[in-house]
Amino acid sequence: MAMYKELLWVFTQLPDDYIVLDTETTGLPDENGLPDIVTIGITAVRRRETAESVELKIRPQKRISEEAQAIHGITNEQAAEFESFDSRWHQIAEYLKDELIVIHNASFDWPILLDHVARYGFTIPPVKGVFCSQKAAIPWTQAMNLPCSHRGPSLDTLTKVLGLEDLRVKEGRLHGAKIDSRQTASVIELMRRYGTEPED
């Protein structure tokens, strides 16, 4: 699996401590703007190991599309009982503060989070930066001739090719923000290891 390991160099440069963030939303961006967050998953990686994972449920202002419900399994009736974004923001901000934020599809999740922050009049705490693991994996994935969209390889593709346990299986293949943040952390750390192992 160390083929083209030079293309995994960027993963070897990640710090030992970082935060992985994932969201599940009401749908995709459309003529009415960005979707609303339904859940936020945060996994804290410390010394290259998963140290903590949380999932925060957020009551959306927009309705959840049928397509989104099929992906994450959360209905509008369930989401109506969740807490508002502003009541959750302090907890979210504490996790993000002074951290490198890793997101598998950062160009989707990060603007949506910033949109919510602005909507409620909050400000993002200082962070070290945002790293998109999906975009970073494109060169290696394409060299390995693996399925890869213009956004990059899916989390499912990387999980399968790396031989990692698929955490979604226990949830009936449904996406979950907490599960996906944990899965992303596992993928990143294995790609880091492959990027540093000696040639066969």
Side-chain angles (χ1 to χ4, degrees):
M1 187 57 70
M3 281 183 65
Y4 311 120
K5 71 170 193 169
E6 298 82 5
L7 297 177
L8 297 174
W9 174 83
V10 66
F11 291 95
T12 73
Q13 302 305 299
L14 290 170
D16 292 349
D17 299 347
Y18 55 88
I19 293 292
V20 182
L21 182 143
D22 186 77
T23 67
E24 299 301 333
T25 67
T26 55
L28 297 173
D30 57 23
E31 65 275 5
N32 297 314
L34 295 173
D36 279 7
I37 294 170
V38 180
T39 58
I40 294 181
I42 296 172
T43 291
V45 174
R46 298 292 180 255
R47 298 178 182 174
R48 305 186 181 186
E49 298 283 346
T50 296
E52 178 187 5
S53 293
V54 298
E55 184 167 83
L56 305 174
K57 298 178 178 180
I58 308 292
R59 184 173 67 246
Q61 296 176 339
K62 298 178 180 179
R63 287 189 60 78
I64 303 171
S65 70
E66 290 183 7
E67 294 81 6
Q69 285 186 47
I71 291 171
H72 53 61
I74 301 170
T75 67
N76 285 290
E77 292 72 25
Q78 291 170 325
E81 302 299 319
F82 296 169
E83 295 187 37
S84 63
F85 180 82
D86 56 343
S87 69
R88 290 293 205 177
W89 172 242
H90 178 73
Q91 186 178 3
I92 297 167
E94 281 299 308
Y95 278 106
L96 303 183
K97 185 179 179 183
D98 298 325
E99 296 279 359
L100 174 68
I101 315 301
V102 175
I103 306 173
H104 192 61
N105 185 5
S107 60
F108 178 78
D109 297 81
W110 190 247
I112 293 171
L113 179 61
L114 293 186
D115 178 64
H116 281 63
V117 170
R119 188 189 306 174
Y120 288 91
F122 297 126
T123 56
I124 284 282
V127 299
K128 292 178 180 175
V130 177
F131 177 82
C132 183
S133 54
Q134 188 173 34
K135 295 290 190 298
I138 288 176
W140 181 79
T141 305
Q142 291 179 335
M144 293 289 288
N145 200 29
L146 299 170
C148 186
S149 73
H150 68 280
R151 294 188 304 271
S154 69
L155 197 55
D156 283 337
T157 293
L158 294 176
T159 296
K160 184 176 180 180
V161 73
L162 295 171
L164 288 165
E165 178 188 7
D166 188 342
L167 300 178
R168 290 178 182 164
V169 169
K170 297 175 183 176
E171 301 298 324
R173 301 299 310 156
L174 290 173
H175 289 224
K178 178 181 176 180
I179 287 172
D180 288 359
S181 68
R182 289 180 65 90
Q183 193 80 59
T184 299
S186 296
V187 164
I188 286 171
E189 287 307 320
L190 191 50
M191 293 182 83
R192 184 208 298 268
R193 202 164 82 222
Y194 285 152
T196 56
E197 69 180 16
E199 298 284 358
D200 295 335

